[in-house]
Amino acid sequence: MIRHLFACTILLFAAVMAQAEKPLIPAPPQLAASAYMLLDAHTGQVLVEHNADEQIPPASLTKMMTSYIVSEELEKGSIKEQDLVRISEKAWRKGGSKMFVKVGDRVPVIDLLRGVIVQSGNDASIALAEHISGSEEVFAEVMNQHAERLGMHDSHFVNATGWPAEGHVTTVRDLGILARALIADHPGHYELYSEKYFRFNGINQPNRNRLLWRDPSVDGIKTGHTEAAGYCLVTSAVKRGMRLISVVVGADSDEQRAEETQKLLSYGFRYYQTHKVYAGNEELKTEHVWGGKQDNVAITIENDLFVTIPRGAEGDIKAELVVDGELEAPLAKYQPVGALEVTLDGETLIEVPAVTATAVERGGFFKRTWDRIRRFVIGLFKE
């Protein structure tokens, strides 16, 4: 009896200790903003959200899409950084924040892009829209096409600047999607978002993102403000190999949007981490292949696999690789043959296709015949 009680006590103590060792995550901060979200840029996992799917006027956060399209066009080669853009009267006359270009001037694309990103210039945004699409109205159609392609299904753009207009809307979730695309798709141009000043036409203007001065981990992204939208800020920061994106809209002041953003970032970095589970093309196991020139093929995943987990929980991650049945040649490189599931405490974090690391061609007649015989005999013994 005493031995039994002692064993039960040990088991209970072990269970309590295991529970105590699990990372404790407090409730996220509640912000003085109408809508907000915090997500991991690598994995896309949302850590905090509030009213993330409520349609809102995006104000100058619109210019994130404008600059994204400019980067897309530069990458395709349809425009070049040193191409000269003629400034129209419409661009010159536009009110609000300005780069202070002059009508009739010819300004390099790269300067106008800096004018959009650093100075939030409405004039620069319209000039680039007209240069790429002929008119701002047609450019807005291109913006909507890119939004749909990126999965921003609750957004609709009417102009390139964020100037208040009926039907010009987005959501915090869609802005998070766009921020991830800016960083992942065009890392070279994303560096412009960390520039604190840009001088043009003798006027040196500061970036309106206060956090670029306050927090060395912050390297972007964009501010916005209109009466309807309030004060808005999309921010990205990197610490200890983790990149977070925060979206805060509807704050009451420039200072408040910075402070509330800092609360989100501090929470994310304190309690979560990005963990690399496997590298792309890393051999996970080998599988037999019937009827091939080679008998085995390595199974892998095509891209690096990251998960977002509570800080310190990497030891509790489990990965299970399941191959769908027996493999038979021919097999193409990266052909899906199963799935890799990653779980934490019984909850699925992510599931990705398991693929072949190399192609496997069909073997010759005698090899295929021999494999059929072997397969038949092995099948008899299995029965």
Side-chain angles (χ1 to χ4, degrees):
M1 176 65 74
I2 293 174
R3 183 180 298 174
H4 177 71
L5 288 174
F6 179 74
C8 290
T9 302
I10 293 295
L11 289 173
L12 178 61
F13 177 75
V16 170
M17 289 301 296
Q19 187 66 30
E21 290 173 1
K22 288 185 180 296
L24 299 176
I25 307 293
Q30 294 185 344
L31 306 189
S34 60
Y36 49 87
M37 187 171 70
L38 178 70
L39 68 152
D40 185 326
H42 278 106
T43 67
Q45 181 173 330
V46 176
L47 306 179
V48 182
E49 63 176 280
H50 174 69
N51 291 338
D53 297 308
E54 181 179 312
Q55 286 190 320
I56 55 169
S60 283
L61 301 181
T62 299
K63 297 184 177 90
M64 292 167 59
M65 178 60 84
T66 300
S67 63
Y68 179 83
I69 293 172
V70 174
S71 294
E72 285 279 295
E73 295 298 317
L74 286 166
E75 187 169 298
K76 289 192 303 184
S78 57
I79 60 174
K80 293 181 172 57
E81 288 188 356
Q82 297 306 318
D83 285 352
L84 297 179
V85 178
R86 185 182 180 280
I87 306 303
S88 69
E89 183 171 347
K90 177 183 177 180
W92 170 68
R93 285 190 180 277
K94 194 64 178 179
S97 53
K98 298 173 75 71
M99 180 180 170
F100 296 105
V101 292
K102 297 179 180 179
V103 63
D105 280 356
R106 295 185 178 274
V107 182
V109 166
I110 191 62
D111 285 353
L112 289 170
L113 186 57
R114 280 191 166 90
V116 172
I117 292 172
V118 181
Q119 301 174 330
S120 198
N122 290 332
D123 46 3
S125 299
I126 294 173
L128 284 169
E130 292 175 337
H131 181 69
I132 290 171
S133 300
S135 72
E136 188 180 11
E137 292 75 21
V138 174
F139 186 78
E141 294 179 16
V142 176
M143 296 171 79
N144 290 321
Q145 291 170 3
H146 279 283
E148 189 64 26
R149 177 180 63 83
L150 292 172
M152 300 170 61
H153 301 308
D154 292 315
S155 296
H156 182 74
F157 297 102
V158 176
N159 57 59
T161 63
W163 196 264
E166 185 176 352
H168 189 87
V169 293
T170 189
T171 66
V172 162
R173 193 177 310 281
D174 282 358
L175 289 169
I177 293 171
L178 179 55
R180 286 189 74 202
L182 276 174
I183 296 165
D185 296 351
H186 305 292
H189 288 139
Y190 177 71
E191 293 176 359
L192 299 178
Y193 283 92
S194 65
E195 294 186 2
K196 295 179 179 178
Y197 293 96
F198 178 51
R199 177 182 292 275
F200 182 81
N201 203 19
I203 303 170
N204 193 33
Q205 295 191 62
N207 194 312
R208 291 166 172 80
N209 185 354
R210 290 174 178 259
L211 294 182
L212 289 175
W213 281 267
R214 296 181 182 178
D215 187 341
S217 70
V218 171
D219 59 9
I221 298 177
K222 190 73 188 71
T223 62
H225 172 249
T226 62
E227 185 175 343
Y231 287 83
C232 311
L233 179 59
V234 178
T235 306
S236 186
V238 181
K239 280 186 181 178
R240 300 185 293 270
M242 184 184 201
R243 177 179 287 279
L244 292 177
I245 295 169
S246 71
V247 184
V248 174
V249 302
D252 290 335
S253 67
D254 180 2
E255 178 63 29
Q256 189 180 72
R257 70 185 173 191
E259 290 179 353
E260 301 305 283
T261 294
Q262 198 75 70
K263 291 177 185 177
L264 275 184
L265 293 174
S266 297
Y267 175 82
F269 286 127
R270 171 64 182 84
Y271 295 108
Y272 291 92
Q273 69 182 83
T274 307
H275 179 68
K276 186 176 181 179
V277 184
Y278 292 112
N281 295 308
E282 178 181 344
E283 182 178 314
L284 304 181
K285 67 180 299 189
T286 58
E287 283 286 314
H288 182 76
V289 181
W290 295 104
K293 282 188 174 181
Q294 61 199 62
D295 289 330
N296 298 290
V297 66
I299 306 301
T300 186
I301 51 176
E302 195 167 348
N303 301 304
D304 292 350
L305 180 61
F306 294 90
V307 292
T308 310
I309 57 174
R311 187 161 294 281
E314 59 269 27
D316 298 322
I317 291 175
K318 295 181 180 179
E320 182 180 9
L321 177 62
V322 177
V323 175
D324 300 330
E326 297 181 326
L327 303 184
E328 188 171 348
L331 295 170
K333 184 177 181 179
Y334 293 148
Q335 180 171 324
V337 292
L340 175 68
E341 182 183 27
V342 180
T343 62
L344 177 63
D345 295 333
E347 180 181 347
T348 299
L349 298 179
I350 190 171
E351 185 175 299
V352 296
V355 299
T356 52
T358 58
V360 180
E361 296 180 9
R362 293 181 69 192
F365 173 77
F366 291 107
K367 176 65 165 60
R368 298 199 311 271
T369 302
W370 175 240
D371 273 8
R372 279 196 294 269
I373 295 171
R374 289 177 59 212
R375 198 172 183 181
F376 175 75
V377 173
I378 291 172
L380 290 176
F381 280 97
K382 284 183 177 179
E383 294 177 0

